[in-house]
mmCIF file of all heavy atoms in Angstrom:
data_model
loop_
_atom_site.group_PDB
_atom_site.id
_atom_site.type_symbol
_atom_site.label_atom_id
_atom_site.label_comp_id
_atom_site.label_asym_id
_atom_site.label_seq_id
_atom_site.Cartn_x
_atom_site.Cartn_y
_atom_site.Cartn_z
ATOM 1 N N SER A 91 0.095 28.135 4.761
ATOM 2 C CA SER A 91 -0.352 27.034 5.660
ATOM 3 C C SER A 91 0.833 26.114 5.938
ATOM 4 O O SER A 91 1.418 25.400 5.021
ATOM 5 C CB SER A 91 -1.430 26.177 4.921
ATOM 6 O OG SER A 91 -1.686 25.009 5.671
ATOM 7 N N TYR A 93 0.667 23.563 7.552
ATOM 8 C CA TYR A 93 0.089 22.263 7.568
ATOM 9 C C TYR A 93 0.515 21.406 6.425
ATOM 10 O O TYR A 93 0.463 20.150 6.434
ATOM 11 C CB TYR A 93 -1.468 22.252 7.654
ATOM 12 C CG TYR A 93 -2.049 20.964 8.225
ATOM 13 C CD1 TYR A 93 -2.085 20.724 9.547
ATOM 14 C CD2 TYR A 93 -2.544 20.032 7.365
ATOM 15 C CE1 TYR A 93 -2.593 19.556 10.058
ATOM 16 C CE2 TYR A 93 -3.130 18.831 7.872
ATOM 17 C CZ TYR A 93 -3.146 18.588 9.265
ATOM 18 O OH TYR A 93 -3.717 17.443 9.737
ATOM 19 N N LEU A 98 3.004 16.495 3.672
ATOM 20 C CA LEU A 98 4.170 15.911 3.047
ATOM 21 C C LEU A 98 4.729 14.751 3.880
ATOM 22 O O LEU A 98 5.157 13.712 3.305
ATOM 23 C CB LEU A 98 5.253 17.016 2.807
ATOM 24 C CG LEU A 98 6.541 16.553 2.164
ATOM 25 C CD1 LEU A 98 6.292 16.012 0.753
ATOM 26 C CD2 LEU A 98 7.522 17.663 2.083
ATOM 27 N N PHE A 147 -5.568 -0.373 -11.727
ATOM 28 C CA PHE A 147 -6.554 0.545 -11.037
ATOM 29 C C PHE A 147 -6.134 1.996 -11.004
ATOM 30 O O PHE A 147 -6.869 2.777 -10.442
ATOM 31 C CB PHE A 147 -6.725 0.055 -9.614
ATOM 32 C CG PHE A 147 -7.194 -1.358 -9.562
ATOM 33 C CD1 PHE A 147 -6.500 -2.384 -8.841
ATOM 34 C CD2 PHE A 147 -8.369 -1.792 -10.231
ATOM 35 C CE1 PHE A 147 -7.019 -3.736 -8.832
ATOM 36 C CE2 PHE A 147 -8.832 -3.044 -10.212
ATOM 37 C CZ PHE A 147 -8.232 -4.022 -9.473
ATOM 38 N N SER A 198 -0.124 2.210 -2.110
ATOM 39 C CA SER A 198 0.896 2.899 -2.794
ATOM 40 C C SER A 198 0.367 3.231 -4.254
ATOM 41 O O SER A 198 0.642 4.334 -4.715
ATOM 42 C CB SER A 198 2.166 2.036 -2.955
ATOM 43 O OG SER A 198 2.732 1.887 -1.615
ATOM 44 N N ILE A 218 6.172 22.222 -5.991
ATOM 45 C CA ILE A 218 5.547 20.874 -6.163
ATOM 46 C C ILE A 218 6.638 19.867 -6.592
ATOM 47 O O ILE A 218 6.662 18.794 -6.037
ATOM 48 C CB ILE A 218 4.499 21.022 -7.344
ATOM 49 C CG1 ILE A 218 3.347 21.838 -6.774
ATOM 50 C CG2 ILE A 218 4.008 19.580 -7.639
ATOM 51 C CD1 ILE A 218 2.264 21.981 -7.901
ATOM 52 N N ILE A 231 14.514 5.186 0.182
ATOM 53 C CA ILE A 231 14.994 4.832 1.596
ATOM 54 C C ILE A 231 14.284 3.581 2.049
ATOM 55 O O ILE A 231 14.994 2.771 2.667
ATOM 56 C CB ILE A 231 14.660 6.006 2.508
ATOM 57 C CG1 ILE A 231 15.494 7.267 2.122
ATOM 58 C CG2 ILE A 231 14.895 5.696 3.964
ATOM 59 C CD1 ILE A 231 14.996 8.535 2.888
ATOM 60 N N VAL A 265 -5.744 8.754 7.964
ATOM 61 C CA VAL A 265 -7.214 9.056 8.174
ATOM 62 C C VAL A 265 -7.331 10.239 9.153
ATOM 63 O O VAL A 265 -8.218 11.059 8.938
ATOM 64 C CB VAL A 265 -7.833 7.750 8.810
ATOM 65 C CG1 VAL A 265 -9.262 8.088 9.155
ATOM 66 C CG2 VAL A 265 -7.860 6.599 7.750
ATOM 67 N N MET A 281 -18.352 16.124 -10.692
ATOM 68 C CA MET A 281 -18.857 15.633 -12.061
ATOM 69 C C MET A 281 -18.849 14.159 -12.065
ATOM 70 O O MET A 281 -18.244 13.487 -11.226
ATOM 71 C CB MET A 281 -17.961 16.242 -13.138
ATOM 72 C CG MET A 281 -18.027 17.725 -13.232
ATOM 73 S SD MET A 281 -16.869 18.333 -14.512
ATOM 74 C CE MET A 281 -15.254 18.222 -13.644
ATOM 75 N N VAL A 289 -11.537 14.129 -19.854
ATOM 76 C CA VAL A 289 -10.743 15.290 -20.005
ATOM 77 C C VAL A 289 -9.260 14.994 -19.958
ATOM 78 O O VAL A 289 -8.422 15.528 -20.802
ATOM 79 C CB VAL A 289 -11.065 16.308 -18.944
ATOM 80 C CG1 VAL A 289 -10.159 17.488 -18.908
ATOM 81 C CG2 VAL A 289 -12.538 16.839 -19.056
ATOM 82 N N LYS A 292 -8.003 13.334 -23.164
ATOM 83 C CA LYS A 292 -7.994 14.193 -24.357
ATOM 84 C C LYS A 292 -6.744 15.111 -24.332
ATOM 85 O O LYS A 292 -6.441 15.757 -25.386
ATOM 86 C CB LYS A 292 -9.256 15.084 -24.372
ATOM 87 C CG LYS A 292 -10.517 14.353 -24.706
ATOM 88 C CD LYS A 292 -11.675 15.256 -24.685
ATOM 89 C CE LYS A 292 -12.982 14.514 -24.964
ATOM 90 N NZ LYS A 292 -14.242 15.341 -24.901
ATOM 91 N N ILE A 306 11.321 6.019 -19.383
ATOM 92 C CA ILE A 306 12.229 6.193 -18.252
ATOM 93 C C ILE A 306 12.187 4.992 -17.382
ATOM 94 O O ILE A 306 13.162 4.426 -16.967
ATOM 95 C CB ILE A 306 11.787 7.448 -17.436
ATOM 96 C CG1 ILE A 306 11.989 8.725 -18.231
ATOM 97 C CG2 ILE A 306 12.543 7.585 -16.130
ATOM 98 C CD1 ILE A 306 13.499 9.057 -18.571
ATOM 99 N N GLY A 308 11.146 1.905 -17.979
ATOM 100 C CA GLY A 308 11.663 0.748 -18.703
ATOM 101 C C GLY A 308 13.176 0.690 -18.585
ATOM 102 O O GLY A 308 13.800 -0.377 -18.344
ATOM 103 N N MET A 311 14.314 0.061 -14.867
ATOM 104 C CA MET A 311 14.080 -1.317 -14.434
ATOM 105 C C MET A 311 15.053 -2.230 -15.056
ATOM 106 O O MET A 311 15.600 -3.155 -14.386
ATOM 107 C CB MET A 311 12.652 -1.757 -14.624
ATOM 108 C CG MET A 311 11.646 -1.030 -13.802
ATOM 109 S SD MET A 311 11.914 -1.379 -12.009
ATOM 110 C CE MET A 311 11.475 -3.109 -11.914
ATOM 111 N N GLY A 326 33.728 -9.365 -13.498
ATOM 112 C CA GLY A 326 34.465 -10.209 -12.634
ATOM 113 C C GLY A 326 34.337 -9.782 -11.058
ATOM 114 O O GLY A 326 35.116 -10.314 -10.261
ATOM 115 N N LYS A 331 30.478 -7.263 -3.860
ATOM 116 C CA LYS A 331 30.965 -6.015 -4.427
ATOM 117 C C LYS A 331 30.109 -5.639 -5.568
ATOM 118 O O LYS A 331 29.824 -4.367 -5.785
ATOM 119 C CB LYS A 331 32.398 -6.152 -4.949
ATOM 120 C CG LYS A 331 33.403 -6.330 -3.845
ATOM 121 C CD LYS A 331 34.884 -6.451 -4.332
ATOM 122 C CE LYS A 331 35.928 -6.580 -3.202
ATOM 123 N NZ LYS A 331 37.261 -6.665 -3.741
ATOM 124 N N ALA A 336 26.279 -1.619 -7.609
ATOM 125 C CA ALA A 336 25.001 -1.434 -8.295
ATOM 126 C C ALA A 336 24.090 -0.502 -7.328
ATOM 127 O O ALA A 336 23.313 0.289 -7.859
ATOM 128 C CB ALA A 336 24.263 -2.701 -8.515
ATOM 129 N N GLY A 346 19.203 12.765 -6.279
ATOM 130 C CA GLY A 346 18.641 13.336 -7.565
ATOM 131 C C GLY A 346 17.170 13.715 -7.449
ATOM 132 O O GLY A 346 16.665 14.663 -7.927
ATOM 133 N N ILE A 353 17.493 22.215 -8.583
ATOM 134 C CA ILE A 353 18.430 22.748 -9.628
ATOM 135 C C ILE A 353 17.583 23.294 -10.813
ATOM 136 O O ILE A 353 17.907 24.350 -11.410
ATOM 137 C CB ILE A 353 19.408 21.680 -10.020
ATOM 138 C CG1 ILE A 353 20.332 21.274 -8.900
ATOM 139 C CG2 ILE A 353 20.198 22.044 -11.272
ATOM 140 C CD1 ILE A 353 21.174 20.076 -9.149
ATOM 141 N N LEU A 457 20.362 -0.862 -25.230
ATOM 142 C CA LEU A 457 18.923 -0.673 -25.355
ATOM 143 C C LEU A 457 18.302 0.108 -24.306
ATOM 144 O O LEU A 457 17.371 0.900 -24.504
ATOM 145 C CB LEU A 457 18.257 -2.006 -25.504
ATOM 146 C CG LEU A 457 18.601 -2.819 -26.841
ATOM 147 C CD1 LEU A 457 17.976 -4.217 -26.807
ATOM 148 C CD2 LEU A 457 18.070 -2.030 -28.042
#
Side-chain angles (χ1 to χ4, degrees):
S91 176
Y93 201 79
L98 180 62
F147 302 124
S198 295
I218 295 176
I231 295 171
V265 172
M281 295 177 285
V289 171
K292 289 177 183 177
I306 294 292
M311 289 300 292
K331 289 182 179 179
I353 295 172
L457 291 173

